[in-house]
Amino acid sequence: ACVCTLACVCTLACAFPSICVRFDASVGDRSPAMEDPQDAFAERRPDTFGFRTGTAMVSSVAAGAVLGAVRATWSDIRITKSGGRMSALMQVLGVMGNYAVTIGAAGTAFAATECMAESVREKKDVFNGALGAAASGMVLGVRVGRIDVGLGAAAAMAVASMAVDASGETLRGPSGFGDGAAPKKKFFPY
């Protein structure tokens, strides 16, 4: 499943390099001293299908490898006399690889499906992310081998994605207590 997902994403990225362009190009009038460095990077980065899917795949594989390393520390991996420490290392790398492939495939499916939905529908709204999250949940269900797990994960991830998109695509709230009395933070790009 992961190899098929990767092959489909690479094929689409090569065949349609201009797919998935951002449809809202509004840039506000802000002074450079008040600009968040992350926002400045977001305005300069390419917003193509290949870039979005590639960055999602790399970050998802990295996150999966980290989670796999945590899982491997909690599991009971024994050092055998015949294999020595190398067998334990191979077991740890196997757990890390399993998690990296699973979460990498889910993240790649999310980004690819969201991007294709945005391109086909020609609008950016909460339903693109919901479709991507549903695809990601189904990848997890295929990986586990149970359709009911996939449907449950798809529904839960779609609801979570819609909630994040509806809240303005950010998890960072206003500075201070949100009453407007606290001064805004200044970001200086050094």
Side-chain angles (χ1 to χ4, degrees), residues 1-184:
C2 299
V3 174
C4 292
T5 302
L6 183 59
C8 290
V9 167
C10 290
T11 303
L12 286 171
C14 292
F16 304 105
S18 63
I19 193 170
C20 201
V21 294
R22 191 172 289 267
F23 294 103
D24 56 343
S26 60
V27 178
D29 294 334
R30 293 180 284 179
S31 71
M34 296 293 289
E35 190 173 284
D36 187 352
Q38 292 178 346
D39 292 340
F41 173 72
E43 291 174 6
R44 289 190 315 260
R45 75 171 183 238
D47 201 20
T48 62
F49 178 82
F51 181 80
R52 287 173 62 179
T53 306
T55 55
M57 181 176 62
V58 169
S59 60
S60 298
V61 166
V66 169
L67 288 174
V70 170
R71 172 67 174 101
T73 60
W74 290 339
S75 65
D76 188 23
I77 295 177
R78 299 178 190 269
I79 299 175
T80 60
K81 288 186 180 183
S82 62
R85 293 176 190 227
M86 187 56 81
S87 69
L89 176 65
M90 295 309 291
Q91 291 176 26
V92 168
L93 291 176
V95 172
M96 289 175 64
N98 188 17
Y99 274 69
V101 166
T102 302
I103 295 174
T108 303
F110 176 87
T113 306
E114 180 187 33
C115 199
M116 285 187 284
E118 184 177 320
S119 179
V120 168
R121 297 178 66 234
E122 294 186 357
K123 58 173 96 166
K124 183 169 173 44
D125 58 6
V126 296
F127 297 111
N128 297 332
L131 290 171
S136 180
M138 289 308 294
V139 166
L140 294 177
V142 166
R143 183 77 172 153
V144 172
R146 293 182 48 197
I147 193 71
D148 58 334
V149 171
L151 292 173
M157 291 175 142
V159 168
S161 176
M162 289 178 79
V164 169
D165 285 346
S167 70
E169 297 181 359
T170 183
L171 298 177
R172 179 172 50 168
S175 61
F177 293 103
D179 59 358
K184 291 190 175 224

